[in-house]
Amino acid sequence: MENPVIILGAQAIGTAALDAFLSNDVVVYCLLDDDPKLHNTELLDVPVMGNTDDGELLKLLGKKCEVFVATEDAASRRSLAKMLRDEYEVVPVNSIHQRASVSAHAELGHGNYVGPNAVVAATAKLGEGVLVGPNAVVEGQASVGDYAQLGSGAQIGVGASVGANAFVGAGAVLVAGVKVGDKARVGAGSVVVADVPGGQTVFGNPAKQV
C-alpha cells in the first residue's frame, strides 16, 4: 500500500500486526494505545504516540494514512472499527504477513490479521477483524466470522465454520464441516468432531463441553 499505516493497539496483537506490515516494507507512521505507560515509547523502532481516540492523529486517516485495529479485546476492535467508519469514513486495512499464503481466490473482509506461515485457501472466507495466528490453516469452503480469533497452528477443515467473536485455541483442529457457534471457545489442542453451540466452551480430544 502507498500510504503509511497507523495501528490502534501496541500490545501483543499490535506487535504482530506491526511485524506483518514491516515484513511487506509498509511504513507504519505510529501506534496508539490507551495504556499511558506505553506513550512516548517505541515498538520495533516505531513510536507509540497517544490514545486510540487521538483526534489529531486520526484526522490523518483517509488521504494520508491507512489504519489497522489491533486491540486485544474483540468488542474493542469492533467498537473502534465502527468509530472509524462513522467518524472518519475509513475501514481498517488487512495486515497479512509476507510469509503467509492467502489465495487470490479467498474472500476477505476488512481489518484482518494473517500471521506468518498461515494459510487461507481458495474459496475460504474471512469476515472482518479476524485474527489468524501463525501457522494456522483455513481450508477451502471454510468460513471464519467477524472478530473471531484462531490461535497459532489452528486448523479449520474443509467446509467448517467459526462464528463471530469465537475463539479457537492454538493447535486446535476442526474437522471438515463442523460448525462452531458465535462467541464459542475451543481450548488449545482440542479436536472438534461435532458442532459447538454458540457461547459454549469445549476442550479435549474429542472436544467436550467444560
Side-chain angles (χ1 to χ4, degrees), residues 50-110:
N51 291 330
T52 55
D53 60 356
D54 188 316
E56 285 300 304
L57 288 166
L58 294 181
K59 71 181 182 183
L60 298 173
L61 299 179
K63 294 181 180 177
K64 294 183 178 179
C65 285
E66 307 290 350
V67 65
F68 182 81
V69 179
T71 51
E72 306 297 302
D73 178 67
S76 169
R77 294 201 305 280
R78 184 186 291 273
S79 174
L80 283 169
K82 183 178 186 303
M83 178 271 289
L84 292 168
R85 281 192 181 90
D86 293 348
E87 297 184 24
Y88 297 93
E89 297 181 346
V90 296
V91 293
V93 295
N94 289 317
S95 175
I96 299 173
H97 198 282
Q98 190 268 337
R99 294 205 315 274
S101 175
V102 177
S103 171
H105 304 289
E107 183 180 320
L108 273 66
H110 299 288

Side-chain angles (χ1 to χ4, degrees), residues 135-179:
N135 303 300
V137 176
V138 183
E139 296 191 18
Q141 301 176 355
S143 63
V144 183
D146 296 347
Y147 301 98
Q149 182 170 352
L150 309 180
S152 301
Q155 296 187 43
I156 312 303
V158 173
S161 64
V162 177
N165 298 291
F167 175 84
V168 178
V173 176
L174 273 60
V175 302
V178 300
K179 295 177 172 59

Side-chain angles (χ1 to χ4, degrees), residues 108-148:
L108 273 66
H110 299 288
N112 297 303
Y113 165 75
V114 183
N117 304 314
V119 175
V120 181
T123 69
K125 295 182 180 180
L126 303 183
E128 298 191 356
V130 175
L131 305 178
V132 180
N135 303 300
V137 176
V138 183
E139 296 191 18
Q141 301 176 355
S143 63
V144 183
D146 296 347
Y147 301 98

Side-chain angles (χ1 to χ4, degrees), residues 3 37 75 82 101 122 193:
N3 290 335
K37 294 177 184 175
K82 183 178 186 303
S101 175
V193 298

